Amino acid sequence: MKDRLILHSDCNCFYASVEMLHHPEYRNKPLAVGGDKESRHGIILTANYRAKAYGIKTGMTLGQALKHCPTLIIESPHMDEYIRFSEMTHEIYADYTDLQEPYGIDECWLDITHSVDSEEEGIRVAKEINSRIKSELGITVSIGVSFNKVLAKLGSDYKKPDAITTMLRNEFKDKAWPLPVSDLLYVGKSTANKLNSVGIRTIGDLAQTDRRLLTSFLGKLGDTLWIFANGLDDSPVVGDKSGIPVKSIGNSTTTCRDLLNNEDVRIVIFSLAESVGARLRAKGFRCRVVEISVRNNELVTYTRQRKISSATNITSEIAKEAYILFEESYKWDKPVRSIGVRGTDLVDENYSEQLELFCDYSRREKMQKTDSVIDDIRRRFGNDSIKRGLALKDEQLYQSGR
């Protein structure tokens, strides 16, 4: 049986690349996308290669970044535009396969096994996608070509920017095994430090370590990493036609600056809820459970969820439930770095449920109609054509959740 052919496409310095497209004068200057330069507050979301040469990294505070590079140009994020470019990349991918699995806004796995007859043809497709995105969208991508998802992603990370790297069965050990173990999917800083402490420094070291020893040391993750390092990952690329039903709809963001109080969080939660509510309505769904995910500025993450009394796709109801969850669970020992809102346990618009004695159904109907009108206006004239009053309290924070 022939190997699968999986591509992993990664848009290079995505946010910064889109900004440079709109501002050609930035192209040869150090540029970062992040918080507010005037107040020197917030964090770096991404940086171009000129800025990276000064040591600018994602997650660095603006104050730190400006110390590394006083001439750094800082642009506030324009999420609507990044989403638009992301959607255009997927339109190009769709010309080659309907098996697309996004990994964030700027990365995507593509299974082209049934679209090509050979590895050579798969490499040609990767080169064609790379060329089309460059000529049609004006940004660049790095693409990994392999027989599984993990090695395809390793390939896209192997050489940047604007590169094609193969990690095929007959070569992946020569290319992948000498790399630092931290380059492997799911190996974060903490896991890398644990592995390094017992002499496992490269992916090859990991692959050749006794599988049972890794499991005893890292639990289930150790077994997973051993499988990855040995090229044994067989997880499918889950595309839109996979037959797997939609189980939840959500949105999350790393904000333009750390969130310092409940009001900051309320602004971002409402912005995220607008996105979640609009997507639920567009797909004809309502949710019966609202979930939040919260990460502090030391990257400690937790999730909380609650079942709600009536299934909903009303923006304000989703935002209210999410904010209550946050208030009940977060103790403010650290600032908040990122936050997510998700609607789960989905039902369709025809779902029937027990009526509640004290629910104001006429008010809920008005809220639904208002949301639908807002959706129509934004579809016709753009997301910024109509805004909630809450956005005026902190426009930058509100936009970071869009």
Side-chain angles (χ1 to χ4, degrees):
M1 190 174 83
K2 74 171 186 176
D3 275 335
R4 294 185 298 163
L5 269 173
I6 310 297
L7 309 183
H8 184 269
S9 181
D10 184 355
C11 299
N12 304 134
C13 304
F14 183 48
Y15 295 178
S17 294
V18 174
E19 295 298 339
M20 288 188 293
L21 193 64
H22 293 309
H23 299 279
E25 67 273 19
Y26 296 164
R27 204 167 278 281
N28 295 313
K29 298 177 181 179
L31 169 71
V33 176
D36 183 358
K37 183 177 182 180
E38 298 305 317
S39 65
R40 297 170 69 93
H41 200 53
I43 61 169
I44 301 296
L45 301 179
T46 192
N48 67 3
Y49 287 99
R50 291 265 179 174
K52 288 180 179 181
Y54 287 89
I56 309 299
K57 297 179 181 179
T58 298
M60 183 179 282
T61 67
L62 264 60
Q64 291 171 325
L66 289 166
K67 286 179 181 177
H68 281 268
C69 178
T71 60
L72 182 68
I73 298 167
I74 300 173
E75 273 290 318
S76 297
H78 299 94
M79 292 307 301
D80 288 350
E81 194 64 3
Y82 309 149
I83 291 170
R84 186 172 75 88
F85 269 79
S86 177
E87 289 171 347
M88 289 191 290
T89 64
H90 286 282
E91 289 174 6
I92 291 175
Y93 302 150
D95 288 342
Y96 303 91
T97 179
D98 58 356
L99 289 176
Q100 302 181 32
E101 183 178 342
Y103 188 62
I105 191 173
D106 56 345
E107 301 181 43
C108 187
W109 280 291
L110 312 171
D111 188 336
I112 60 170
T113 306
H114 301 296
S115 305
V116 299
D117 295 323
S118 65
E119 291 176 347
E120 292 74 18
E121 194 174 350
I123 296 168
R124 180 193 61 77
V125 167
K127 290 179 178 177
E128 189 171 307
I129 291 172
N130 170 281
S131 177
R132 284 187 60 188
I133 288 177
K134 195 186 310 181
S135 61
E136 295 176 27
L137 305 187
I139 62 175
T140 64
V141 293
S142 292
I143 300 178
V145 184
S146 189
F147 56 95
N148 69 37
K149 289 166 62 177
V150 171
L151 292 175
K153 175 163 173 53
L154 198 62
S156 69
D157 291 336
Y158 190 82
K159 185 179 179 182
K160 292 182 177 182
D162 194 19
I164 308 291
T165 301
T166 59
M167 287 276 177
L168 303 174
R169 191 175 294 278
N170 64 349
E171 62 181 3
F172 85 88
K173 291 181 182 179
D174 291 334
K175 290 183 177 180
W177 280 17
L179 297 174
V181 71
S182 56
D183 285 359
L184 194 63
L185 188 67
Y186 295 166
V187 179
K189 185 176 180 180
S190 175
T191 301
N193 288 338
K194 286 182 181 179
L195 291 169
N196 290 170
S197 71
V198 293
I200 300 173
R201 302 189 179 281
T202 67
I203 293 175
D205 293 339
L206 179 65
Q208 295 173 84
T209 300
D210 184 87
R211 186 173 183 175
R212 290 169 297 180
L213 181 63
L214 282 171
T215 302
S216 66
F217 185 49
L218 295 176
K220 186 177 179 181
L221 176 62
D223 190 63
T224 299
L225 295 180
W226 185 91
I227 290 170
F228 287 178
N230 281 283
L232 301 176
D233 169 55
D234 61 358
S235 58
V237 174
V238 182
D240 290 338
K241 296 185 179 180
S242 64
I244 297 175
V246 175
K247 295 182 179 179
S248 66
I249 288 177
N251 193 16
S252 62
T253 184
T254 299
T255 51
C256 59
R257 63 172 174 82
D258 286 352
L259 308 181
L260 304 175
N261 52 52
N262 283 353
E263 187 62 15
D264 284 351
V265 170
R266 193 167 76 93
I267 291 169
V268 176
I269 280 180
F270 208 107
S271 178
L272 292 168
E274 286 215 285
S275 169
V276 174
R279 289 165 59 197
L280 286 168
R281 293 188 291 273
K283 292 181 179 294
F285 290 137
R286 291 180 287 160
C287 66
R288 296 191 293 181
V289 172
V290 170
E291 178 182 290
I292 63 167
S293 59
V294 180
R295 177 180 294 177
N296 69 22
N297 67 345
E298 292 188 350
L299 305 185
V300 176
T301 304
Y302 75 85
T303 61
R304 296 288 186 273
Q305 62 177 219
R306 66 188 295 136
K307 193 170 184 67
I308 53 180
S309 56
S310 297
T312 189
N313 56 22
I314 298 171
T315 294
S316 58
E317 290 185 345
I318 296 168
K320 177 184 175 183
E321 297 294 340
Y323 182 65
I324 290 172
L325 267 174
F326 177 84
E327 273 197 311
E328 290 175 348
S329 61
Y330 200 68
K331 305 307 179 188
W332 283 114
D333 51 336
K334 301 288 181 185
V336 172
R337 172 66 55 86
S338 67
I339 194 161
V341 174
R342 181 169 296 274
T344 69
D345 193 9
L346 304 185
V347 295
D348 64 29
E349 293 282 15
N350 298 317
Y351 172 74
S352 299
E353 57 189 349
Q354 180 80 32
L355 295 179
E356 291 184 59
L357 182 61
F358 299 108
C359 179
D360 188 343
Y361 286 100
S362 63
R363 181 174 180 273
R364 289 193 84 212
E365 185 177 356
K366 290 177 182 178
M367 292 162 66
Q368 288 172 328
K369 288 180 178 178
T370 299
D371 279 344
S372 295
V373 170
I374 291 171
D375 291 343
D376 288 340
I377 292 171
R378 286 176 173 162
R379 272 193 295 269
R380 292 180 63 190
F381 303 109
N383 278 338
D384 290 332
S385 58
I386 184 168
K387 298 179 182 179
R388 308 266 177 175
L390 190 64
L392 301 178
K393 290 192 172 184
D394 193 320
E395 181 75 22
Q396 218 175 23
L397 265 190
Y398 194 82
Q399 286 295 335
S400 66
R402 301 291 291 275

